[in-house]
């Protein structure tokens, strides 16, 4: 038998294995019994260095590659370091994708992002909306790099017959997320705020904006399961969305996190802070039709993430 799902001896390189996504992919691969994982920290291998990446691939000869390495960050980081966001991401993906082609890697999975869709795309967002309108200006350098990554995969497939697939995850959360209040996304930020308020007996917690914007959230272990599923079962040139297909208002999310943390005080909305886009939801028809759906519901995922936060970061973070 051949095929990724059966090849537990295959040499599998996970680029970015310390990040939110890469670490979840490694957990999933280990849980399924993959024995030959190839992992390098950014200190051991600078993926922006073409020569270093080429010689790493020549020596290690991976069979499969999960390309989860990227420079990521919230709105503040994106607006402070736009050059690094476009340069680092372009270099990382060009080097890894080209080396994967040169070393005849059997299949590569590239991780895009839902922020690559046009700012005013109709909701829920279908895969074919890519490149149909202007991007959100605040993360345009990042988004342009990610779009180039998808186009690299497609161009190599067309010209060289490679099997490089791209997937677009919705907003993710889970263990190893960024809990720094300045740069965190809403779930880790609120987990930390409610936990700190509970510890300190504070009377209220501040939630940004009006609480009315709607967002979709996927636990990163579900994303990792989707990555393994698509590595085994998806071979199309078009990118594929990965999400739950469901969203909820930030106010409902805040109430759930408050409950999970066990905080008894009030929630106060700070309307001087931005709401951002009113709604961001992926159309997941394509992945559903292949037979994949997420398994971790939001409340269970929040409990798991809060437990991880308590074990690793609470108090000293
Ligand atoms: P977005 O999906 O790109 O807008 O990223 P975020 O996860 O940063 O924000 C999602 C929504 O949560 C926005 O409407 C924010 O205003 C709202 N929000 C409420 N409280 C917070 C908070 O403490 N931190 C963050 N990052 N967002 C918050």
């Amino acid at each position: 038998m051949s095929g990724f799902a059966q090849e537990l001896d295959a040499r599998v390189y996970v680029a970015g294995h310390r990040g939110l996504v890469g670490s979840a992919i490694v957990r999933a691969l280990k849980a399924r019994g993959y024995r030959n994982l190839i992992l390098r920290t950014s200190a051991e291998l600078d993926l922006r260095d073409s020569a270093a990446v080429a010689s790493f691939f020549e020596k290690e000869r991976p069979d499969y590659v999960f390309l989860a390495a990227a420079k990521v960050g919230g709105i503040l980081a994106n607006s402070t370091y736009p050059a690094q966001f476009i340069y680092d991401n372009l270099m990382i993906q060009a080097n890894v994708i080209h080396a994967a082609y040169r070393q005849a890697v059997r299949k590569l999975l590239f991780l895009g992002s839902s922020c690559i869709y046009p700012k005013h795309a109709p909701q829920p967002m279908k895969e074919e909306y890519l490149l149909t309108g202007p991007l959100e200006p605040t993360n345009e350098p990042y988004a342009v790099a990610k779009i180039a990554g998808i186009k690299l995969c497609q161009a190599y497939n067309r010209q060289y017959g490679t099997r490089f697939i791209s997937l677009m995850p919705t907003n993710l959360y889970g263990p190893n997320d960024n809990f720094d209040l300045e740069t965190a996304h809403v779930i880790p930020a609120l987990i930390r705020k409610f936990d700190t308020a509970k510890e300190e007996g504070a009377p209220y917690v501040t939630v940004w904006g009006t609480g009315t914007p709607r967002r979709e959230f996927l636990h990163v272990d579900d994303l990792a399961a989707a990555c393994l599923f698509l590595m085994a079962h998806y071979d199309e040139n078009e990118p594929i969305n990965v999400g739950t297909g469901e969203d909820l208002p930030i106010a409902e999310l805040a109430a759930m996190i408050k409950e999970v943390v066990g905080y008894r005080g009030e929630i106060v909305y700070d309307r001087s802070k931005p709401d951002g886009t009113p709604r961001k939801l992926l159309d997941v028809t394509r992945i559903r039709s292949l037979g994949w759906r997420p398994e971790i519901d939001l409340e269970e995922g929040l409990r798991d993430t809060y437990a991880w936060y308590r074990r690793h970061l609470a108090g000293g973070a």
Side-chain angles (χ1 to χ4, degrees):
M1 268 309 279
S2 70
F4 177 72
Q6 287 78 34
E7 291 178 77
L8 299 179
D9 281 326
R11 298 175 60 70
V12 183
Y13 172 44
V14 182
H17 73 284
R18 288 221 173 137
L20 173 66
V21 172
S23 63
I25 292 174
V26 168
R27 279 196 301 281
L29 289 167
K30 286 184 174 166
R32 302 272 175 94
Y34 287 87
R35 294 181 276 270
N36 283 315
L37 302 190
I38 304 166
L39 309 171
R40 292 290 186 281
T41 63
S42 52
E44 290 163 346
L45 174 62
D46 182 348
L47 292 173
R48 296 167 303 181
D49 177 341
S50 308
V53 173
S55 74
F56 164 76
F57 269 77
E58 256 169 53
K59 186 162 153 277
E60 296 294 339
R61 297 193 147 271
D63 299 309
Y64 295 93
V65 174
F66 290 91
L67 180 38
K71 181 165 183 68
V72 296
I75 188 164
L76 193 66
N78 268 274
S79 60
T80 317
Y81 311 108
Q84 282 165 267
F85 274 86
I86 191 163
Y87 177 82
D88 288 7
N89 287 309
L90 283 172
M91 292 302 282
I92 290 168
Q93 69 207 19
N95 288 337
V96 172
I97 289 168
H98 189 68
Y101 149 64
R102 292 292 298 268
Q103 294 305 320
V105 161
R106 273 183 241 163
K107 194 161 170 182
L108 175 145
L109 183 152
F110 173 70
L111 280 134
S113 158
S114 60
C115 74
I116 68 183
Y117 286 114
K119 183 180 167 86
H120 299 297
Q123 305 290 318
M125 298 184 285
K126 293 182 194 292
E127 289 86 350
E128 53 263 37
Y129 297 166
L130 187 63
L131 289 173
T132 57
L135 300 165
E136 159 63 45
T138 51
N139 57 21
E140 192 189 70
Y142 173 82
V144 164
K146 285 287 182 185
I147 293 169
I150 292 166
K151 293 294 163 189
L152 269 170
C153 290
Q154 293 178 335
Y156 276 62
N157 292 343
R158 269 213 309 281
Q159 188 176 344
Y160 301 130
T162 47
R163 291 167 76 204
F164 295 167
I165 61 169
S166 301
L167 68 83
M168 325 255 230
T170 188
N171 300 326
L172 302 169
Y173 70 98
N176 290 315
D177 207 343
N178 168 19
F179 287 81
D180 176 345
L181 288 183
E182 286 281 300
T183 52
H185 285 116
V186 60
I187 288 182
L190 292 186
I191 285 179
R192 183 165 180 174
K193 285 185 186 175
F194 281 113
D195 182 69
T196 308
K198 180 183 163 191
E199 293 291 307
E200 293 173 354
Y204 64 90
V205 162
T206 305
V207 173
W208 295 353
T210 59
T212 56
R214 302 179 67 94
R215 293 289 184 276
E216 174 189 23
F217 299 101
L218 182 72
H219 192 284
V220 73
D221 286 341
D222 270 332
L223 175 72
C227 288
L228 271 58
F229 175 84
L230 294 171
M231 189 62 111
H233 300 293
Y234 189 71
D235 270 315
E236 304 299 319
N237 222 15
E238 291 76 42
I240 183 164
N241 287 341
V242 185
T244 63
E246 286 167 19
D247 60 1
L248 80 172
I250 294 300
E252 249 176 65
L253 174 76
M256 274 172 100
I257 297 177
K258 177 182 163 180
E259 157 73 23
V260 162
V261 170
Y263 173 68
R264 308 234 172 273
E266 300 296 317
I267 293 175
V268 171
Y269 288 93
D270 177 358
R271 284 156 201 267
S272 73
K273 291 285 197 304
D275 266 343
T277 183
R279 194 165 188 213
K280 208 158 67 176
L281 179 64
L282 291 181
D283 182 296
V284 291
T285 310
R286 190 174 284 176
I287 193 167
R288 280 285 170 95
S289 71
L290 295 176
W292 185 86
R293 58 175 57 230
E295 290 181 350
I296 305 171
D297 75 37
L298 184 57
E299 186 172 337
E300 178 191 351
L302 292 173
R303 286 192 192 287
D304 166 78
T305 307
Y306 180 51
W308 186 90
Y309 173 79
R310 288 296 310 173
R311 281 198 305 278
H312 291 86
L313 294 174

